[in-house]
């Protein structure tokens, strides 16, 4: 969702998988069918999370209990892992058919960073990260890749900061001098928890407020709206000011 235009493909794959499951569940339990909704279901419960965690989060939200199963479960199985594998099957079908488009402004910034000797890594919950980057022809831009495959070796998924801290460790850079760029609420939450120097939110879903409330220091509609100059300005002036201020981005009576 930050580098490649796959967020809507993911969302569509999740919707097809969950709607098929929910229809069958409705018939099985004689309960009303409520379709999977992008704004109400995908963004708060699934977006940015590891595949099985996303399935579990949504099912818990709907009050549906099924066995967790095992990652080796067939896509037809009615388990958390089975549903996650079914979603992946749909995603890969769409990927093979339609290919991958990049966000040009993001790739341009990555190349500018590299030209200045600044290290760049990619951190993603997706197990398809390598395949997607290869399909887009940009895998070679990144010095390290910490994705859903690597995370299976003991890393916690977003909103925990593990994939970002490991990526920074692999690059040999300190967290306070690093930038996390995210388009998902769970991603900015992870950046905030990891205490990174700049948590930069990209509001692809017109979700500026949600990203800001959940930990993004700066939120824009496109990475080109801030650019290299804006990032340098943050570390020159904004970070120092941020360290000495307490900010409130909403009004919550209980907090007041």
């Amino acid at each position: 969702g930050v580098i490649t235009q796959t967020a809507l493909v993911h969302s569509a794959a999740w919707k097809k998988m969950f709607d098929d499951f929910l229809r069958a569940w409705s018939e099985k339990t004689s309960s009303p069918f409520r379709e999977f909704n992008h704004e109400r279901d995908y963004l708060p419960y699934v977006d940015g999370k590891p595949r099985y965690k996303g399935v579990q989060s949504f099912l818990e939200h709907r009050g549906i209990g099924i066995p967790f199963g095992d990652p080796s479960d067939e896509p037809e199985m009615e388990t958390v892992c089975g549903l996650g594998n079914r979603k992946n099957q749909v995603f890969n079908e769409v990927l093979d058919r339609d290919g991958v488009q990049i966000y040009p402004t993001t790739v341009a910034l990555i190349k500018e960073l590299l030209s200045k000797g600044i290290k760049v890594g990619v951190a993603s919950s997706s197990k398809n990260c390598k395949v997607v980057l290869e399909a887009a022809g940009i895998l070679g831009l990144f010095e390290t890749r910490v994705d859903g495959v690597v995370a299976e070796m003991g890393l916690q998924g977003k909103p925990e900061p593990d994939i970002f801290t490991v990526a920074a460790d692999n690059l040999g850079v300190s967290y306070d001098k690093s930038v996390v760029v995210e388009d998902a609420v769970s991603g900015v939450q992870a950046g905030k928890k990891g205490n990174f120097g700049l948590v930069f939110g990209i509001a692809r879903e017109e979700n500026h407020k949600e990203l800001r409330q959940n930990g993004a220091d700066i939120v824009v509609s496109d990475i080109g709206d801030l650019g290299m100059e804006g990032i340098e300005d943050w570390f020159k002036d904004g970070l120092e000011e941020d360290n000495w201020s307490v900010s409130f981005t909403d009004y919550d009576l209980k907090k007041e």
Side-chain angles (χ1 to χ4, degrees):
V2 171
I3 306 167
T4 60
Q5 299 182 30
T6 48
L8 291 178
V9 179
H10 277 292
S11 178
W14 281 112
K15 178 170 175 57
K16 175 169 174 43
M17 182 278 288
F18 272 129
D19 279 351
D20 289 348
F21 166 76
L22 291 169
R23 284 191 188 92
W25 185 262
S26 174
E27 292 176 9
K28 181 179 175 180
T29 60
S30 300
S31 57
F33 166 70
R34 284 190 295 138
E35 69 175 320
F36 183 79
N37 179 271
H38 182 76
E39 285 76 22
R40 293 193 306 271
D41 298 321
Y42 175 71
L43 292 178
Y45 300 107
V46 178
D47 187 26
K49 295 178 181 177
R51 193 186 308 155
Y52 303 140
K53 190 171 183 177
V55 174
Q56 203 164 28
S57 174
F58 170 71
L59 293 180
E60 286 174 358
H61 162 62
R62 287 288 183 97
I64 298 173
I66 60 173
F68 183 81
D70 184 84
S72 63
D73 285 355
E74 293 296 322
E76 296 76 25
M77 294 181 68
E78 199 173 85
T79 63
V80 168
C81 293
L83 294 181
N85 294 341
R86 197 183 308 176
K87 177 265 171 181
N88 191 52
Q89 190 176 62
V90 176
F91 176 81
N92 282 311
E93 287 170 2
V94 177
L95 200 64
D96 290 341
R97 186 187 69 222
D98 299 337
V100 180
Q101 298 295 316
I102 61 165
Y103 286 106
T105 50
T106 302
V107 174
L109 179 61
I110 290 169
K111 290 179 177 178
E112 185 177 0
L113 290 165
L114 292 172
S115 72
K116 292 178 179 289
I118 296 172
K119 297 187 174 189
V120 181
V122 61
S124 170
S125 295
S126 176
K127 292 182 180 180
N128 296 308
C129 181
K130 182 180 180 182
V131 174
V132 169
L133 294 177
E134 282 178 332
I138 54 174
L139 182 62
L141 293 178
F142 306 98
E143 188 172 323
T144 188
R145 186 188 77 257
V146 182
D147 58 14
V149 176
V150 177
E152 279 193 326
M153 300 174 188
L155 303 183
Q156 295 186 80
K158 296 183 272 188
E160 298 306 317
D162 296 24
I163 60 172
F164 296 119
T165 55
V166 170
D169 292 344
N170 290 348
L171 294 172
V173 294
S174 60
Y175 309 153
D176 63 311
K177 291 184 172 64
S178 301
V179 182
V180 167
V181 186
E182 261 289 349
D183 69 328
V185 166
S186 60
V188 297
Q189 289 172 333
K192 186 73 172 177
K193 277 189 176 183
N195 201 29
F196 284 85
L198 171 60
V199 181
F200 183 7
I202 310 295
R204 303 276 190 217
E205 301 283 347
E206 299 299 320
N207 54 342
H208 295 71
K209 182 179 178 182
E210 289 81 2
L211 294 175
R212 190 75 176 88
Q213 286 177 345
N214 282 279
D217 298 305
I218 298 173
V219 180
V220 296
S221 297
D222 184 86
I223 206 165
D225 296 341
L226 185 68
M228 187 68 198
E229 185 177 348
I231 293 172
E232 289 175 332
D233 286 345
W234 170 261
F235 282 94
K236 181 182 176 184
D237 300 313
L239 181 59
E240 182 65 19
E241 292 175 14
D242 184 64
N243 282 338
W244 289 96
S245 67
V246 178
S247 302
F248 297 88
T249 56
D250 62 342
Y251 180 82
D252 184 336
L253 190 59
K254 290 180 181 179
K255 291 180 182 177
E256 302 306 311

